[in-house]
Amino acid sequence: MVSYGEMYGKQQPGLGMAALSLLTSAKYVIDPELRGAEFERITQNLDMHFWKSFWNLTESGLLTGFSRMASSPVQVNVTLTLPPVTLHVPLAADPRLTTTVSPPVAHWGPGPVHIRLISCELREGQDSEELLSFSREDPPSISVSQLPWVQKQPLSPWLLIHFHGGGFVAQTSKSHENYLRMWSKELNVPIVSVDYSLSPEAPFPRALEECFYAYCWALQHCHLLGSTADRVCLAGDSAGGNLCITVSMKALSNGVRVPDGVMTAYPATLLTTDASPSRLLTLIDPFLPLGVLTKCVNAYAGTDWGTVHPTMGHHSVSSLRRNTAVLLSDLTQGASNWISSFLEPGRTSGPGSPTSTMRRTQSNVTLRTSPDVSAGHHRSHVGYPEGFQPLRSECQAFVSLTSCPIIRNPFVSPLLAPNNLLRGLPPVHIVASALDALLDDSVMFARKLRDMGQPVSLTVVEDLPHGFLSLSQLAKETEVASSVCVEELRKIFQQESLKCSAQRSNGTKHTCD
C-alpha cells in the first residue's frame, strides 16, 4: 500500500501502477521507519480517490485472471442489469395482496440496478432468453449453443443473495468473486451478488434502495436465477453486512417476505465513531486505520469531505497538501478526552526538534520501573528504556468533532435501531474477528438481539483482521474462517429440512410433508 501510494498520481493504468509499486517496495521492506512515515502520510493526506483506486486493484485484469484460476470453476457467471420498473411484491401476511416497490430514486432519480449471477452448475432458467435479455454483455456469456455438453440441473430450493464489502466506497461483486465461486460449489446454490452504487457519488440511501430492489426482484424472478427460493439467505461482509441487516429491516417495514436467515462477516453495525476497546485498533490497523474509516463514513453519510490532488511535477506522497481527518460523530465526553490526549499540540514535536528525529534504540537497554502510588503499594511495571523518547509525528492532523444526524439513522447504524424495527428479523449469524476494530459493534448488536429474544449467533475467529474473506485464498487461517461462514450459511439453508426430519422421526405431521 505504501509503495502504491508513492506511485499514486503518475500517469499509469492501475496494473502499471501495481507493477511499479512492487519494484519500489524493497526500500520499505528494508526500512520499517520509512514505511511507517509513508503509511502515516498516506492515511492522513490521501483522499477517497486513492483508496478507491487501491482497493479496486483486485479487479485489474491480471489479478482477476489469477483469482479465477485459483478459485472454483463455475458454469454460470453472468452480469445482469435490472431496468427501473415498479415491482408488485406479495405481502408476507397475505400473498393475495401486493405492495409496490419502486426502483431506486435517491439523489438522481430512477436508475437500473446491476447484479451478478454465479452458479457452479447450469440450472433451469439460467440460460433462458428472458434472463439473458437482462445481460450486460454482448453477446451474453451463457447460451445453450455455447454449452451443448452441459446437462441442466433442476431448480435449487435455495437462493443466496450477496452484498459485497468495501466501506460503501469501493469494489464490486468482481472483487469478491473468488470466495463466492467457492461458496456456490460447497453449498451447491445459485448466488446473486448486487453491484450497488458507491459513495461518495451515491451516498445513503442509494445503496440501500438498490439492494432492497434487487432483493425483491430476485424473489419475483427466482425461476430465472435457477431457484425456487424456498429458502433465501442474505450474506455480506463489512459494509455488505450492514446492507444485509438493513435490507431485512426494510423488508419488515414494507411487509414483504423477509429472508430466512442472514450471515454477516465483520458487519458495520454502528457508523458513529464512539470509542470502544476494539476501536483502538484503528490507531495501528493497516487495513482499517482511523482516518480511512472516517473518510468512508463521511462519504456514505454524504457530508462534505476534502479533496487532495497530487502536486504537478511531483510523485511522492510528501508532495501532497495536508488533508483534515474529520470525525463525523458526537463522541461521549470520555471518548473526546481520550482522542484529545493523542492530539495535544504540546505533545507533538515540531520539525527540527530533537524528538522529531527518528532514532533506533540499542539492542541492550536497561528498563526503568516506577511505583504505582495510586494503588497504595509499590507495584513495579515495565516502562520506557533509559534514554528512550517516543517518536512524535511530523504529520499533524486537526480533528474536528462534529455531529451528523444521518449516521444515527437506524438504517445506517442498525445497532441504534429501536426494538420495533428489529423485532421480526430472521436468524442473524455473525462471524467476527478478534483483531477487527468493529468487533465490539458485532458483540453489542448480537447482545441487543439476544436480549430482545431474537435468534442470533456470534462466532469470533482468532488472529485475523477485518476483511479476511477477501484474503481467503492467501493463508490457512483465512480458509478456515471462510469455511466457518459456509457452515453458518449451511445452517440457515438446512434449518427447515432438519426441522422436518425431526418431526417426521417423531411422527408429527408438518406442512413440508
Side-chain angles (χ1 to χ4, degrees):
M1 182 182 71
V2 171
S3 301
Y4 187 81
E6 182 178 352
M7 296 298 105
Y8 182 66
K10 289 188 174 182
Q11 299 301 317
Q12 292 284 344
L15 187 57
M17 265 207 291
L20 286 174
S21 300
L22 290 176
L23 294 176
T24 61
S25 61
K27 60 183 178 183
Y28 296 115
V29 174
I30 296 172
D31 192 341
E33 291 179 349
L34 178 62
R35 182 172 69 244
E38 291 300 305
F39 172 79
E40 183 179 32
R41 290 190 179 97
I42 287 173
T43 56
Q44 291 294 341
N45 288 277
L46 288 179
D47 65 356
M48 190 55 65
H49 294 299
F50 167 78
W51 295 104
K52 280 176 172 284
S53 174
F54 177 69
W55 287 336
N56 286 334
L57 272 180
T58 54
E59 301 193 7
S60 62
L62 185 59
L63 294 180
T64 300
F66 283 140
S67 176
R68 288 187 175 182
M69 286 189 291
S71 59
S72 302
V74 294
Q75 294 181 357
V76 178
N77 187 352
V78 60
T79 53
L80 309 171
T81 297
L82 313 182
V85 297
T86 301
L87 303 177
H88 300 280
V89 183
L91 289 174
D94 188 351
R96 296 172 298 179
L97 303 177
T98 62
T99 184
T100 299
V101 175
S102 301
V105 296
H107 303 299
W108 60 77
V113 178
H114 305 297
I115 65 174
R116 180 184 297 270
L117 174 62
I118 296 176
S119 181
C120 63
E121 294 184 311
L122 179 63
R123 296 185 177 275
E124 294 179 6
Q126 293 177 343
D127 60 348
S128 65
E129 292 185 4
E130 185 178 359
L131 178 75
L132 296 180
S133 66
F134 296 104
S135 176
R136 286 154 46 187
E137 302 173 7
D138 188 21
S141 60
I142 305 173
S143 69
V144 177
S145 59
Q146 290 175 318
L147 302 173
W149 63 91
V150 174
Q151 181 178 0
K152 283 191 291 186
Q153 301 298 316
L155 298 177
S156 169
W158 302 345
L159 179 63
L160 177 60
I161 301 176
H162 171 262
F163 308 127
H164 66 81
F168 300 103
V169 301
Q171 302 191 331
T172 65
S173 60
K174 191 175 182 180
S175 311
H176 299 249
E177 197 178 316
N178 57 335
Y179 68 81
L180 292 180
R181 286 165 164 256
M182 184 266 290
W183 286 3
S184 179
K185 181 179 180 181
E186 294 198 11
L187 296 169
N188 196 22
V189 61
I191 299 177
V192 173
S193 185
V194 182
D195 287 323
Y196 53 86
S197 297
L198 301 174
S199 301
E201 296 81 6
F204 175 82
R206 185 76 189 195
L208 176 58
E209 289 182 355
E210 292 182 356
C211 289
F212 179 64
Y213 183 84
Y215 167 73
C216 294
W217 186 93
L219 292 182
Q220 281 200 310
H221 298 83
C222 59
H223 60 285
L224 300 179
L225 304 173
S227 173
T228 60
D230 293 344
R231 303 283 294 175
V232 177
C233 176
L234 299 186
D237 67 308
S238 190
N242 174 291
L243 291 169
C244 287
I245 297 168
T246 53
V247 164
S248 301
M249 292 165 55
K250 198 167 178 65
L252 274 174
S253 301
N254 285 268
V256 304
R257 172 187 174 181
V258 297
D260 297 286
V262 172
M263 194 289 296
T264 66
Y266 39 89
T269 61
L270 181 65
L271 268 63
T272 68
T273 49
D274 296 333
S276 75
S278 73
R279 291 191 178 202
L280 289 170
L281 290 172
T282 60
L283 299 177
I284 59 173
D285 188 352
F287 287 93
L288 201 65
L290 178 62
V292 179
L293 179 63
T294 55
K295 285 181 174 70
C296 293
V297 172
N298 212 347
Y300 189 54
T303 57
D304 293 335
W305 54 287
T307 302
V308 178
H309 300 284
T311 302
M312 295 301 294
H314 299 278
H315 305 299
S316 172
V317 179
S318 60
S319 67
L320 301 177
R321 65 181 176 85
R322 191 71 60 213
N323 185 28
T324 301
V326 180
L327 299 181
L328 299 176
S329 71
D330 44 344
L331 295 175
T332 61
Q333 186 61 40
S336 178
N337 293 337
W338 172 78
I339 292 287
S340 298
S341 69
F342 289 93
L343 301 171
E344 284 182 44
R347 296 183 58 186
T348 304
S349 303
S353 64
T355 56
S356 67
T357 304
M358 292 190 175
R359 304 177 181 83
R360 291 183 178 85
T361 58
Q362 300 295 321
S363 57
N364 297 321
V365 295
T366 303
L367 300 181
R368 301 195 307 268
T369 58
S370 57
D372 186 356
V373 179
S374 62
H377 62 280
H378 294 283
R379 179 172 60 84
S380 297
H381 65 275
V382 177
Y384 289 126
E386 285 188 356
F388 174 84
Q389 293 184 359
L391 298 175
R392 294 301 177 189
S393 171
E394 295 180 1
C395 179
Q396 301 181 37
F398 174 74
V399 179
S400 175
L401 302 180
T402 60
S403 178
C404 177
I406 290 180
I407 60 177
R408 293 191 170 273
N409 186 312
F411 288 95
V412 174
S413 297
L415 180 57
L416 303 179
N419 290 357
N420 64 305
L421 280 179
L422 299 176
R423 188 168 287 111
L425 282 180
V428 176
H429 300 253
I430 302 173
V431 180
S433 172
L435 299 182
D436 180 19
L438 305 184
L439 171 62
D440 292 341
D441 303 344
S442 296
V443 173
M444 294 303 296
F445 188 66
R447 178 178 295 176
K448 181 172 184 173
L449 293 179
R450 182 200 63 185
D451 292 345
M452 292 174 52
Q454 287 291 126
V456 61
S457 70
L458 173 64
T459 305
V460 179
V461 296
E462 299 293 334
D463 305 325
L464 288 177
H466 188 89
F468 61 74
L469 275 179
S470 297
L471 310 172
S472 59
Q473 295 176 315
L474 299 183
K476 182 63 177 178
E477 292 83 357
T478 53
E479 289 181 8
V480 171
S482 180
S483 66
V484 171
C485 296
V486 171
E487 290 309 309
E488 296 302 310
L489 291 170
R490 200 185 307 276
K491 290 177 184 177
I492 295 172
F493 284 129
Q494 294 183 344
Q495 182 178 3
E496 188 68 23
S497 59
L498 290 175
K499 184 192 298 184
C500 292
S501 299
Q503 291 183 346
R504 288 192 186 101
S505 63
N506 294 332
T508 305
K509 186 172 178 60
H510 188 262
T511 55
C512 61
D513 292 330

